Amino acid sequence: MTEHFFDFSSNRQKANDRTIISLFDEITRVDNFTTNAAGLFLDYSKQNISQSELSALINWAGSSQLFDKIAAQFSGDKINNTEQRAVLHTLLRAPNDIKKAVLPEGANEIIATEQQMEKIVNDVCSGKLTSSTQEKFTDVLAIGIGGSFYGIKVGLTALQPYHSTGLNVHFLANVDGGAVQEKLNKLSAKTTLVVVISKTFSTQETLLNALAVKHWMLAALPAHCIAQQWFAISTNIEQVTSFGIAREHVLPIWDWVGGRFSLWSAVGLPLAFAIGYENFVKLKQGAFEMDQHFKSAKFKDNMPVIMALLGMWNRNGLNYSSLAILPYEHALRALPGYLQQTDMESNGKSVSIDGKKLDWLTAPVVFGQEGTNGQHAFMQLMHQSVDVIPTDFIVSLKGSSKYSEHHKVLVANCFAQSEALMQGKTLQQVKDEMSTQGASDEEIKRLAVHKTMKGNTPSNTIVLESLNPHSLGALLALYEHKIFVQGVLWQLNSFDQWGVELGKQLGDQVLAVMAGQEGNNLSYSSQMLIKRFLNA
Ligand code: F6P
């Protein structure tokens, strides 16, 4: 049944008529619009929302089903109703007593899988587990896509300084022969361990890549290399073993772990190979602390809830259609891509959990890049186009390199951009500035309008003490929960992804036509393109 939805539209005009900076007249704003959780600090004072408006939103969330839905998620109810599945990735980062309480039947298997994962990582790193030629592994090649890729990618790039095991971890995700060739040229079959990550073990891209790597390895080594050097993480044991991977090298994943929330499971194996198992545990600990905060903090202090409500205020109240993720940290450059999937694949929907057409907008278009690179690319549009793009800035107080001056400049740019997006520059300010600089009247008339900035762009700033496994875990869990809250309040199911299916189906049809099959439903445009491809 459709629940009462917040009347966002009644606040729109008021918000459009004011400047964000005017909201700072309330002297307690900075104190009231900041919060801490699991070692992260959030400043949301640069949002275009007043204290009373935010309080009304929080009250609405309190009167909705959100509280019950949070409890339902953590206790393993089948909240993914279209697939009849629980959503329990949080259990993978919880202590064992919680695992046993929530899943008495399944806890032992989760714990045994963690132990298996730890042993594999330690044995490979120590050289106890060697390749089929009895050599120590030097490289790990992980193969997977979507949720079986992005989390690992963000972990591998963000935690580069923690790559301490001596293993070089590589990834193949896209179905592109160029990418396969580039990777394989760098690797030696004798010392490469392969991990195939596919929940279903039926994903076209992953299987094609796995097959290409298998042929490459078999060209150099005897057949038993696959059983010895390959591992898989999957629910589909039958397919994995018929591919040739040894049963004891298959680590399970469960239907209650969604692909895009699976980093915390054995899917994280390639990351653990790079940073060591202890650091992988710290990543999960950071996420667990955010889970505890999310479960227990009052909505008014609850970081994921606050971020979710602000996102809805911008989307449904102010009609802003995108969200920029701008980490001012080179190591977090993979975060925008990761959040693109978690956010848009979860909440990019227009039908309610009960199958009714929703009357409101849902997920924004998420994009971004690490600062300051983004400043020299799309941020021109953010400052001067008519589109307002709410932004999440993410920054660490302490840098991870010895170049402290670089870090200071990076942080300064981050703070300056949120200020510039909020303050903008009026025509009058530009004219005054130009005149002070000695510009002629003719020059001012010609140029001033080009130099004005709209301002009034809302932003959050998420501050980490430093980027490490713990803070990364907390950050990823923060966004997971934010997305969950928005899904609940938008009254949709965040945990299925039917939208991806049509492309897969039509992909099969295109391949069939390419193989000479007659009769299809493809448009003349696509048929013409296929002909061009076949005639090339
Ligand atoms: O992108 C669609 C999707 O179904 C994701 O949800 C999933 O993470 C990805 O494909 C890969 O699926 P699998 O792990 O089964 O290969």
Side-chain angles (χ1 to χ4, degrees):
M1 205 182 69
T2 311
E3 282 214 354
H4 162 66
F5 195 62
F6 190 80
D7 179 14
F8 285 97
S9 60
S10 61
N11 298 285
R12 191 169 297 144
Q13 199 53 50
K14 203 159 132 208
N16 281 335
D17 288 347
R18 69 184 169 218
T19 59
I20 300 176
I21 200 82
S22 70
L23 293 165
F24 284 86
D25 291 348
E26 219 169 75
I27 49 167
T28 52
R29 183 168 175 90
V30 171
D31 290 335
N32 294 347
F33 280 59
T34 49
T35 186
N36 290 283
L40 307 187
F41 174 79
L42 169 69
D43 172 12
Y44 53 100
S45 61
K46 293 192 183 85
Q47 292 285 343
N48 189 354
I49 190 166
S50 69
Q51 179 67 72
S52 60
E53 289 159 346
L54 182 59
S55 300
L57 267 183
I58 292 168
N59 286 341
W60 167 62
S63 68
S64 75
Q65 50 178 331
L66 180 58
F67 192 76
D68 292 342
K69 284 279 174 114
I70 294 173
Q73 183 195 15
F74 280 92
S75 60
D77 289 2
K78 293 190 172 170
I79 59 170
N80 174 358
N81 68 329
T82 56
E83 297 177 310
Q84 275 304 302
R85 289 176 185 170
V87 176
L88 273 176
H89 52 274
T90 51
L91 203 58
L92 297 164
R93 49 214 194 199
N96 289 348
D97 55 334
I98 299 185
K99 290 187 182 100
K100 286 176 185 162
V102 175
L103 264 195
E105 307 281 288
N108 285 344
E109 198 190 3
I110 306 172
I111 297 164
T113 305
E114 287 172 348
Q115 288 165 348
Q116 188 187 2
M117 190 174 161
E118 180 175 12
K119 185 166 166 27
I120 293 167
V121 172
N122 291 340
D123 286 356
V124 169
C125 293
S126 67
K128 193 172 163 194
L129 195 75
T130 54
S131 75
S132 54
T133 54
Q134 279 79 54
E135 284 168 84
K136 195 168 188 282
F137 288 110
T138 55
D139 296 87
V140 172
L141 177 59
I143 304 172
I145 198 164
S148 299
F149 163 56
Y150 283 117
I152 303 164
K153 183 180 179 187
V154 87
L156 285 173
T157 44
L159 300 176
Q160 184 70 37
Y162 294 83
H163 288 208
S164 50
T165 60
L167 283 168
N168 297 308
V169 182
H170 315 261
F171 221 107
L172 265 182
N174 202 355
V175 61
D176 186 318
V180 178
Q181 212 165 309
E182 188 190 304
K183 289 286 172 216
L184 296 184
N185 282 344
K186 287 187 195 150
L187 298 171
S188 159
K190 287 182 187 175
T191 53
T192 298
L193 181 150
V194 181
V195 189
V196 187
I197 305 162
S198 179
K199 198 174 154 184
T200 55
F201 216 78
S202 65
T203 305
Q204 184 192 45
E205 296 95 322
T206 301
L207 293 187
L208 202 59
N209 280 334
L211 214 54
V213 176
K214 185 178 175 182
H215 288 150
W216 165 80
M217 193 170 269
L218 286 174
L221 297 173
H224 65 92
C225 66
I226 306 301
Q228 247 174 292
Q229 297 186 205
W230 286 54
F231 288 80
I233 293 94
S234 185
T235 52
N236 194 344
I237 312 286
E238 212 182 305
Q239 287 298 323
V240 177
T241 47
S242 67
F243 182 89
I245 298 174
R247 175 67 187 87
E248 61 276 18
H249 281 190
V250 188
L251 285 84
I253 178 170
W254 304 274
D255 70 356
W256 42 264
V257 186
R260 52 193 173 273
F261 304 100
S262 63
L263 174 66
W264 324 99
S265 69
V267 167
L269 183 65
L271 177 60
F273 274 133
I275 62 174
Y277 195 75
E278 261 180 46
N279 282 322
F280 186 69
V281 170
K282 286 182 191 161
L283 177 89
K284 293 207 284 184
Q285 179 61 27
F288 173 68
E289 283 174 31
M290 184 57 78
D291 297 343
Q292 293 302 96
H293 164 81
F294 177 53
K295 264 169 79 174
S296 58
K298 293 201 169 98
F299 286 174
K300 71 175 183 48
D301 306 314
N302 196 310
M303 200 182 276
V305 173
I306 296 284
M307 278 182 61
L309 292 173
L310 294 170
M312 294 179 73
W313 179 259
N314 289 331
R315 185 75 181 111
N316 302 102
L318 300 175
N319 277 342
Y320 300 152
S321 57
S322 18
L323 170 67
I325 304 288
L326 304 185
Y328 272 66
E329 180 104 35
H330 179 70
L332 284 175
R333 62 194 177 279
L335 186 71
Y338 166 84
L339 289 177
Q340 240 163 15
Q341 195 215 16
T342 35
D343 198 326
M344 295 201 276
E345 199 168 86
S346 297
N347 289 340
K349 293 163 190 171
S350 51
V351 168
S352 80
I353 195 150
D354 304 320
K356 310 233 165 57
K357 181 101 188 70
L358 290 173
D359 289 335
W360 43 82
L361 299 167
T362 62
V365 174
V366 178
F367 74 101
Q369 193 177 8
E370 76 284 2
T372 65
N373 286 346
Q375 286 172 218
H376 300 275
F378 49 79
M379 288 197 76
Q380 159 63 35
L381 181 150
M382 293 174 69
H383 287 293
Q384 286 198 304
S385 83
V386 292
D387 290 311
V388 176
I389 303 184
T391 302
D392 284 356
F393 289 94
I394 301 156
V395 68
S396 295
L397 296 180
K398 296 191 186 76
S400 51
S401 78
K402 61 179 183 183
Y403 299 101
S404 54
E405 188 60 22
H406 279 68
H407 189 64
K408 192 166 79 183
V409 173
L410 191 68
V411 174
N413 270 283
C414 174
F415 296 165
Q417 282 301 321
S418 63
E419 193 68 20
L421 285 172
M422 176 177 69
Q423 295 226 19
K425 208 182 257 186
T426 62
L427 187 62
Q428 193 52 50
Q429 281 173 322
V430 177
K431 283 180 178 170
D432 293 347
E433 198 177 279
M434 288 182 78
S435 148
T436 315
Q437 286 162 355
S440 67
D441 287 352
E442 190 276 325
E443 219 177 347
I444 293 174
K445 199 170 164 206
R446 190 166 56 85
L447 285 182
V449 69
H450 293 283
K451 294 186 169 195
T452 62
M453 316 275 160
K454 63 177 180 281
N456 241 13
T457 295
S459 67
N460 290 318
T461 303
I462 300 170
V463 183
L464 282 58
E465 276 294 316
S466 65
L467 182 60
N468 54 47
H470 185 281
S471 61
L472 180 68
L475 183 67
L476 300 185
L478 166 66
Y479 275 101
E480 284 181 354
H481 296 316
K482 175 206 140 170
I483 290 163
F484 168 76
V485 171
Q486 291 188 330
V488 171
L489 296 175
W490 277 323
Q491 300 173 33
L492 52 81
N493 179 4
S494 301
F495 300 103
D496 59 14
Q497 57 284 318
W498 301 104
V500 188
E501 294 306 314
L502 179 60
K504 288 185 192 171
Q505 277 167 17
L506 287 177
D508 288 343
Q509 237 189 82
V510 172
L511 281 171
V513 176
M514 284 176 171
Q517 199 185 84
E518 299 282 323
N520 60 73
N521 300 327
L522 300 174
S523 68
Y524 289 133
S525 162
S526 298
Q527 294 189 40
M528 173 275 294
L529 291 169
I530 293 170
K531 263 192 206 124
R532 283 185 80 93
F533 172 78
L534 291 174
N535 293 335

